[in-house]
Amino acid sequence: MSTATEQPSLPTLSFDNRFANLDPAMGSRLAPVPLPDPYLVAASSQVAGMLGLDPRMLQFSEWLDVIAGNRVPEGAQPMAAVYAGHQFGVWAGRLGDGRALLLGEVAGHDGSRLELQIKGSGPTPYSRMGDGRAVLRSSIREFLCSEAMAALGIPTTRALAVVGSDQPILRETVETAAVVMRVSPSFVRFGNFEYFAHFNQHQTLRVLADYVIDRYEPEIAARGPAATRTGASYAALLENVARRTASLMAKWQSVGFCHGVMNTDNMSILGLTIDYGPFGFLDGFDANHICNHTDQQGRYAYAMQPGVGEWNCFALAQALMPLIGDVDLAKQALSAYRETYDREHSALLLAKLGLRSAHPDDDTLMSSMFEAMQASHADFTLFFRRLSGVNPDDASGDGPVRDLFIDRAAADAWLAVYRARLATEGVAQAERAAAMNRVNPLYVLRNHLAEIAIRRASGLSAEGSPTSERDYTEVGRLLEALSSPYEERRGLEAYAAQPPAWASHLSVSCSS
Ligand code: AMP
Ligand code: MG
């Protein structure tokens, strides 16, 4: 522990807040509401590095106060962005950052620009009925999953740290408050565009679109300055968003990630995974798996995600129509979605199966695989990971895969076809296995792993009984395992295992 006199002063992050200064209509300026006695729960040394910070600094009260909203760093211009959106397919009207504030934009270590946002920082003009807070449970989940997704190579907002406070927060039960500092090149969502389109603020809509083009779309920006842009440039923006979104969906599907709340206000214009709430990774394969207890219709079930991503792009297209002007241009731009999704999803599946080149019979190979997995609820992550042990020459390596199936005969039948398919590739076993292990993760943030870390951090044992103290070390250990998801390490067997029986009762909802 360090005494107050040893604490270094806050490094002067040099703020340059382009979004906050873009147009007063983008949101509301306001200060965070302080939280008493903040303490550090977890920090990402990788994200600290991206910001050129020494992660040890985050333990000091000056940083804890910045993250908890007790101190606004010099140069920051905190603001809540206004947006709207379609929630569960229905127009939801004005939403906005109801419990998050953008502090501002700083230069990353490599010169790229990153925005800092605190989530759980108190009420804003967009809080509606909410209290503006986030609880420790959901903050730990967001922190861990942001970093886990990044390590998987999946585009995502990042998380620098989670800070907790003993301030009580009422959800289904009384919990405690926490704040996550999120880091991203931008937090702009489809919903920001939908807001200005819906309320007929077309001039502001254009300011926002030009901002996104000028900052994040160098190829479109190079065609000419904002004042000269026509519908074709905004259609090109739509096309790029459609491509990025499709590519993100292909990646989610490839690791069994379910977002849970794919409302258009939770869709990033940069194609990043954003707003981690009731997300989950598939354990036993079920194409219809619904990870969000609140989603009774299964609108956002696993197999629905690619279609919902496309539907959301249509909602964005509608919002951009005042700028694009021509329906055919918009349709043409949107057609990039399916083309990108199909191409990228097929390529990812081929790689997961260790296949180098596509074959006309592969569709049958894949569909029969998913059918067998579905019937046995075979563990998604372990199935693909263990596939690297399958040998084309004989069935000696089939056992670990076979063990994941209740219907062993179905597994054997599929494995025989798969082995024959592998034989056509003529790639050495060791080489193929190594390539497969680079794309099929062993460690993903299964719900029960997050739950154990949360229980420990809340002063409970892994089984849920009270202990004498809160222990944040499990959050750190889990982060460490998830930070190298493709690299098998001794001692981490528990993080690769299927969920224990008690975990089948876990449910996650929108309450966070
Ligand atoms: P979500 O589906 O969690 O992304 O949230 C949808 C909307 O509700 C966003 O505008 C959030 O800012 C807002 N919101 C969620 N929880 C709270 C809360 N506790 N207090 C205020 N606003 C909230
Ligand atoms: Mg949201």
Side-chain angles (χ1 to χ4, degrees), residues 83 189 265-266 275:
Y83 49 83
R189 302 139 190 277
D265 52 302
N266 291 337
D275 280 12

Side-chain angles (χ1 to χ4, degrees), residues 83 87 96 99 119 182 189 261 263 265-266 274-275:
Y83 49 83
Q87 300 188 320
R99 53 169 166 172
K119 178 171 176 182
R182 304 199 289 192
R189 302 139 190 277
V261 203
N263 296 333
D265 52 302
N266 291 337
I274 191 171
D275 280 12

Side-chain angles (χ1 to χ4, degrees), residues 27 73 137-138 140 167 181 238 254 492:
R137 163 180 56 88
S138 65
I140 290 175
Q167 180 159 311
M181 184 176 273
L238 176 62
S254 79
L492 299 187

